[in-house]
PDB file of all heavy atoms in Angstrom:
ATOM      1  N   ASN E   2      38.761 -65.208  25.554  1.00 67.00           N
ATOM      2  CA  ASN E   2      38.060 -64.038  25.222  1.00 67.00           C
ATOM      3  C   ASN E   2      36.869 -64.355  24.444  1.00 67.00           C
ATOM      4  O   ASN E   2      36.814 -64.792  23.315  1.00 67.00           O
ATOM      5  CB  ASN E   2      39.001 -63.085  24.341  1.00 67.00           C
ATOM      6  CG  ASN E   2      38.532 -61.760  24.240  1.00 67.00           C
ATOM      7  OD1 ASN E   2      37.440 -61.316  24.830  1.00 67.00           O
ATOM      8  ND2 ASN E   2      38.970 -60.930  23.349  1.00 67.00           N
ATOM      9  N   HIS E   3      35.720 -64.140  25.074  1.00 73.00           N
ATOM     10  CA  HIS E   3      34.396 -64.341  24.341  1.00 73.00           C
ATOM     11  C   HIS E   3      33.800 -63.021  24.118  1.00 73.00           C
ATOM     12  O   HIS E   3      33.881 -62.037  24.776  1.00 73.00           O
ATOM     13  CB  HIS E   3      33.431 -65.075  25.347  1.00 73.00           C
ATOM     14  CG  HIS E   3      33.966 -66.430  25.769  1.00 73.00           C
ATOM     15  ND1 HIS E   3      33.750 -67.420  24.854  1.00 73.00           N
ATOM     16  CD2 HIS E   3      34.495 -66.853  26.868  1.00 73.00           C
ATOM     17  CE1 HIS E   3      34.285 -68.581  25.484  1.00 73.00           C
ATOM     18  NE2 HIS E   3      34.699 -68.173  26.650  1.00 73.00           N
ATOM     19  N   GLU E   4      33.159 -62.901  22.907  1.00 82.00           N
ATOM     20  CA  GLU E   4      32.532 -61.754  22.449  1.00 82.00           C
ATOM     21  C   GLU E   4      30.953 -61.917  22.744  1.00 82.00           C
ATOM     22  O   GLU E   4      30.541 -63.014  22.270  1.00 82.00           O
ATOM     23  CB  GLU E   4      32.742 -61.446  21.037  1.00 82.00           C
ATOM     24  CG  GLU E   4      34.186 -60.957  20.862  1.00 82.00           C
ATOM     25  CD  GLU E   4      34.433 -60.333  19.470  1.00 82.00           C
ATOM     26  OE1 GLU E   4      33.413 -59.855  18.877  1.00 82.00           O
ATOM     27  OE2 GLU E   4      35.591 -60.342  19.052  1.00 82.00           O
ATOM     28  N   TYR E   5      30.333 -61.070  23.373  1.00 86.00           N
ATOM     29  CA  TYR E   5      28.885 -61.135  23.571  1.00 86.00           C
ATOM     30  C   TYR E   5      28.315 -59.797  23.601  1.00 86.00           C
ATOM     31  O   TYR E   5      28.937 -58.828  23.929  1.00 86.00           O
ATOM     32  CB  TYR E   5      28.595 -61.997  24.909  1.00 86.00           C
ATOM     33  CG  TYR E   5      29.411 -61.496  26.072  1.00 86.00           C
ATOM     34  CD1 TYR E   5      29.028 -60.353  26.826  1.00 86.00           C
ATOM     35  CD2 TYR E   5      30.563 -62.101  26.400  1.00 86.00           C
ATOM     36  CE1 TYR E   5      29.747 -59.919  27.903  1.00 86.00           C
ATOM     37  CE2 TYR E   5      31.358 -61.670  27.434  1.00 86.00           C
ATOM     38  CZ  TYR E   5      30.962 -60.565  28.193  1.00 86.00           C
ATOM     39  OH  TYR E   5      31.748 -60.162  29.251  1.00 86.00           O
ATOM     40  N   SER E   6      27.011 -59.777  23.300  1.00 89.00           N
ATOM     41  CA  SER E   6      26.206 -58.440  23.406  1.00 89.00           C
ATOM     42  C   SER E   6      24.828 -58.917  23.728  1.00 89.00           C
ATOM     43  O   SER E   6      24.610 -60.046  23.860  1.00 89.00           O
ATOM     44  CB  SER E   6      26.236 -57.801  21.977  1.00 89.00           C
ATOM     45  OG  SER E   6      25.711 -58.624  20.969  1.00 89.00           O
ATOM     46  N   THR E   9      22.796 -62.394  22.845  1.00 92.00           N
ATOM     47  CA  THR E   9      23.711 -63.513  22.728  1.00 92.00           C
ATOM     48  C   THR E   9      23.371 -64.649  23.583  1.00 92.00           C
ATOM     49  O   THR E   9      23.075 -64.342  24.797  1.00 92.00           O
ATOM     50  CB  THR E   9      25.288 -63.109  22.962  1.00 92.00           C
ATOM     51  OG1 THR E   9      25.553 -62.102  22.086  1.00 92.00           O
ATOM     52  CG2 THR E   9      26.098 -64.308  22.745  1.00 92.00           C
ATOM     53  N   ARG E  10      23.369 -65.884  23.223  1.00 94.00           N
ATOM     54  CA  ARG E  10      23.198 -67.061  24.022  1.00 94.00           C
ATOM     55  C   ARG E  10      24.442 -67.630  24.324  1.00 94.00           C
ATOM     56  O   ARG E  10      25.368 -67.734  23.456  1.00 94.00           O
ATOM     57  CB  ARG E  10      22.216 -68.053  23.321  1.00 94.00           C
ATOM     58  CG  ARG E  10      20.898 -67.471  23.207  1.00 94.00           C
ATOM     59  CD  ARG E  10      19.891 -68.629  23.115  1.00 94.00           C
ATOM     60  NE  ARG E  10      18.565 -68.106  23.409  1.00 94.00           N
ATOM     61  CZ  ARG E  10      17.588 -68.184  22.505  1.00 94.00           C
ATOM     62  NH1 ARG E  10      17.736 -68.882  21.407  1.00 94.00           N
ATOM     63  NH2 ARG E  10      16.408 -67.624  22.689  1.00 94.00           N
ATOM     64  N   CYS E  11      24.661 -67.900  25.633  1.00 94.00           N
ATOM     65  CA  CYS E  11      26.042 -68.568  26.124  1.00 94.00           C
ATOM     66  C   CYS E  11      25.747 -69.740  26.892  1.00 94.00           C
ATOM     67  O   CYS E  11      24.643 -69.973  27.569  1.00 94.00           O
ATOM     68  CB  CYS E  11      26.589 -67.544  27.067  1.00 94.00           C
ATOM     69  SG  CYS E  11      26.774 -65.891  26.376  1.00 94.00           S
ATOM     70  N   GLN E  12      26.679 -70.622  26.742  1.00 94.00           N
ATOM     71  CA  GLN E  12      26.699 -71.769  27.637  1.00 94.00           C
ATOM     72  C   GLN E  12      27.724 -71.649  28.832  1.00 94.00           C
ATOM     73  O   GLN E  12      28.815 -71.229  28.528  1.00 94.00           O
ATOM     74  CB  GLN E  12      27.099 -73.076  26.875  1.00 94.00           C
ATOM     75  CG  GLN E  12      27.049 -74.340  27.694  1.00 94.00           C
ATOM     76  CD  GLN E  12      27.408 -75.570  26.745  1.00 94.00           C
ATOM     77  OE1 GLN E  12      27.947 -75.535  25.693  1.00 94.00           O
ATOM     78  NE2 GLN E  12      26.983 -76.717  27.290  1.00 94.00           N
ATOM     79  N   MET E  13      27.245 -71.946  29.930  1.00 93.00           N
ATOM     80  CA  MET E  13      28.122 -71.773  31.222  1.00 93.00           C
ATOM     81  C   MET E  13      28.779 -73.018  31.610  1.00 93.00           C
ATOM     82  O   MET E  13      28.331 -74.122  31.202  1.00 93.00           O
ATOM     83  CB  MET E  13      27.261 -71.120  32.366  1.00 93.00           C
ATOM     84  CG  MET E  13      26.527 -69.889  32.026  1.00 93.00           C
ATOM     85  SD  MET E  13      27.466 -68.552  31.431  1.00 93.00           S
ATOM     86  CE  MET E  13      27.949 -67.744  32.980  1.00 93.00           C
ATOM     87  N   VAL E  26      21.971 -63.189  27.251  1.00 95.00           N
ATOM     88  CA  VAL E  26      22.422 -61.936  27.684  1.00 95.00           C
ATOM     89  C   VAL E  26      21.339 -60.826  27.498  1.00 95.00           C
ATOM     90  O   VAL E  26      20.890 -60.638  26.320  1.00 95.00           O
ATOM     91  CB  VAL E  26      23.734 -61.506  27.100  1.00 95.00           C
ATOM     92  CG1 VAL E  26      24.202 -60.066  27.607  1.00 95.00           C
ATOM     93  CG2 VAL E  26      24.851 -62.479  27.311  1.00 95.00           C
ATOM     94  N   PHE E  51      31.338 -63.350  35.149  1.00 94.00           N
ATOM     95  CA  PHE E  51      30.654 -63.880  33.995  1.00 94.00           C
ATOM     96  C   PHE E  51      31.825 -64.380  33.007  1.00 94.00           C
ATOM     97  O   PHE E  51      31.663 -65.488  32.518  1.00 94.00           O
ATOM     98  CB  PHE E  51      29.835 -62.742  33.330  1.00 94.00           C
ATOM     99  CG  PHE E  51      29.122 -63.281  32.031  1.00 94.00           C
ATOM    100  CD1 PHE E  51      27.958 -64.051  32.105  1.00 94.00           C
ATOM    101  CD2 PHE E  51      29.600 -63.009  30.833  1.00 94.00           C
ATOM    102  CE1 PHE E  51      27.357 -64.518  30.959  1.00 94.00           C
ATOM    103  CE2 PHE E  51      28.974 -63.377  29.707  1.00 94.00           C
ATOM    104  CZ  PHE E  51      27.765 -64.133  29.776  1.00 94.00           C
ATOM    105  N   ILE E  55      31.754 -68.317  31.802  1.00 93.00           N
ATOM    106  CA  ILE E  55      31.215 -68.708  30.519  1.00 93.00           C
ATOM    107  C   ILE E  55      32.133 -69.783  29.831  1.00 93.00           C
ATOM    108  O   ILE E  55      33.371 -69.793  29.933  1.00 93.00           O
ATOM    109  CB  ILE E  55      31.140 -67.463  29.607  1.00 93.00           C
ATOM    110  CG1 ILE E  55      30.548 -67.672  28.355  1.00 93.00           C
ATOM    111  CG2 ILE E  55      32.580 -66.966  29.300  1.00 93.00           C
ATOM    112  CD1 ILE E  55      30.186 -66.404  27.539  1.00 93.00           C
ATOM    113  N   LYS E  56      31.420 -70.675  29.194  1.00 93.00           N
ATOM    114  CA  LYS E  56      32.083 -71.799  28.486  1.00 93.00           C
ATOM    115  C   LYS E  56      32.246 -71.557  27.013  1.00 93.00           C
ATOM    116  O   LYS E  56      33.282 -71.605  26.417  1.00 93.00           O
ATOM    117  CB  LYS E  56      31.341 -73.173  28.671  1.00 93.00           C
ATOM    118  CG  LYS E  56      31.989 -74.320  28.099  1.00 93.00           C
ATOM    119  CD  LYS E  56      31.193 -75.592  28.511  1.00 93.00           C
ATOM    120  CE  LYS E  56      31.824 -76.845  28.014  1.00 93.00           C
ATOM    121  NZ  LYS E  56      31.072 -78.148  28.379  1.00 93.00           N
ATOM    122  N   LYS E  57      31.139 -71.134  26.369  1.00 92.00           N
ATOM    123  CA  LYS E  57      31.160 -70.700  24.998  1.00 92.00           C
ATOM    124  C   LYS E  57      29.927 -69.932  24.589  1.00 92.00           C
ATOM    125  O   LYS E  57      28.867 -70.008  25.274  1.00 92.00           O
ATOM    126  CB  LYS E  57      31.294 -71.991  24.050  1.00 92.00           C
ATOM    127  CG  LYS E  57      30.047 -72.831  24.086  1.00 92.00           C
ATOM    128  CD  LYS E  57      30.208 -73.963  23.148  1.00 92.00           C
ATOM    129  CE  LYS E  57      28.913 -74.828  23.143  1.00 92.00           C
ATOM    130  NZ  LYS E  57      29.060 -75.921  22.192  1.00 92.00           N
ATOM    131  N   THR E  58      30.095 -69.161  23.554  1.00 92.00           N
ATOM    132  CA  THR E  58      28.876 -68.483  22.973  1.00 92.00           C
ATOM    133  C   THR E  58      28.274 -69.393  21.865  1.00 92.00           C
ATOM    134  O   THR E  58      28.980 -70.058  21.254  1.00 92.00           O
ATOM    135  CB  THR E  58      29.222 -67.172  22.253  1.00 92.00           C
ATOM    136  OG1 THR E  58      30.282 -67.302  21.425  1.00 92.00           O
ATOM    137  CG2 THR E  58      29.625 -66.153  23.448  1.00 92.00           C
ATOM    138  N   ILE E  59      26.912 -69.314  21.699  1.00 88.00           N
ATOM    139  CA  ILE E  59      26.294 -70.255  20.709  1.00 88.00           C
ATOM    140  C   ILE E  59      25.894 -69.338  19.529  1.00 88.00           C
ATOM    141  O   ILE E  59      25.357 -68.313  19.690  1.00 88.00           O
ATOM    142  CB  ILE E  59      25.019 -70.769  21.412  1.00 88.00           C
ATOM    143  CG1 ILE E  59      25.446 -71.657  22.651  1.00 88.00           C
ATOM    144  CG2 ILE E  59      24.203 -71.501  20.378  1.00 88.00           C
ATOM    145  CD1 ILE E  59      24.297 -72.135  23.464  1.00 88.00           C
ATOM    146  N   LYS E  60      26.233 -69.950  18.425  1.00 71.00           N
ATOM    147  CA  LYS E  60      25.839 -69.302  17.145  1.00 71.00           C
ATOM    148  C   LYS E  60      24.427 -69.255  16.873  1.00 71.00           C
ATOM    149  O   LYS E  60      23.715 -70.187  17.114  1.00 71.00           O
ATOM    150  CB  LYS E  60      26.577 -70.049  15.927  1.00 71.00           C
ATOM    151  CG  LYS E  60      28.081 -69.982  15.974  1.00 71.00           C
ATOM    152  CD  LYS E  60      28.697 -70.742  14.807  1.00 71.00           C
ATOM    153  CE  LYS E  60      30.160 -70.763  14.937  1.00 71.00           C
ATOM    154  NZ  LYS E  60      30.719 -71.669  13.868  1.00 71.00           N
ATOM    155  N   GLU E  61      23.959 -68.055  16.572  1.00 64.00           N
ATOM    156  CA  GLU E  61      22.486 -67.776  16.190  1.00 64.00           C
ATOM    157  C   GLU E  61      22.409 -68.125  14.675  1.00 64.00           C
ATOM    158  O   GLU E  61      23.356 -68.156  13.975  1.00 64.00           O
ATOM    159  CB  GLU E  61      22.090 -66.371  16.448  1.00 64.00           C
ATOM    160  CG  GLU E  61      22.168 -66.077  17.965  1.00 64.00           C
ATOM    161  CD  GLU E  61      21.225 -66.699  18.817  1.00 64.00           C
ATOM    162  OE1 GLU E  61      20.041 -67.136  18.307  1.00 64.00           O
ATOM    163  OE2 GLU E  61      21.518 -67.116  19.939  1.00 64.00           O
ATOM    164  N   GLU E  65      27.311 -65.075  12.894  1.00 51.00           N
ATOM    165  CA  GLU E  65      28.523 -65.512  13.507  1.00 51.00           C
ATOM    166  C   GLU E  65      28.911 -64.663  14.686  1.00 51.00           C
ATOM    167  O   GLU E  65      29.041 -63.533  14.715  1.00 51.00           O
ATOM    168  CB  GLU E  65      29.670 -65.411  12.468  1.00 51.00           C
ATOM    169  CG  GLU E  65      29.591 -66.359  11.258  1.00 51.00           C
ATOM    170  CD  GLU E  65      29.702 -67.852  11.674  1.00 51.00           C
ATOM    171  OE1 GLU E  65      30.607 -68.149  12.493  1.00 51.00           O
ATOM    172  OE2 GLU E  65      28.952 -68.620  11.131  1.00 51.00           O
ATOM    173  N   ILE E  66      29.204 -65.426  15.897  1.00 47.00           N
ATOM    174  CA  ILE E  66      29.436 -64.725  17.010  1.00 47.00           C
ATOM    175  C   ILE E  66      30.895 -65.057  17.492  1.00 47.00           C
ATOM    176  O   ILE E  66      31.266 -66.112  17.438  1.00 47.00           O
ATOM    177  CB  ILE E  66      28.508 -65.140  18.190  1.00 47.00           C
ATOM    178  CG1 ILE E  66      27.115 -64.711  17.704  1.00 47.00           C
ATOM    179  CG2 ILE E  66      28.792 -64.496  19.495  1.00 47.00           C
ATOM    180  CD1 ILE E  66      25.959 -65.198  18.666  1.00 47.00           C
TER     181      ILE E  66
END
Side-chain angles (χ1 to χ4, degrees):
N2 189 10
H3 296 282
E4 291 192 24
Y5 47 84
S6 60
T9 302
R10 289 204 167 125
C11 304
Q12 183 177 20
M13 305 303 270
V26 177
F51 182 78
I55 189 171
K56 185 174 184 179
K57 67 178 181 178
T58 55
I59 298 173
K60 294 179 185 174
E61 296 293 327
E65 289 294 321
I66 300 176

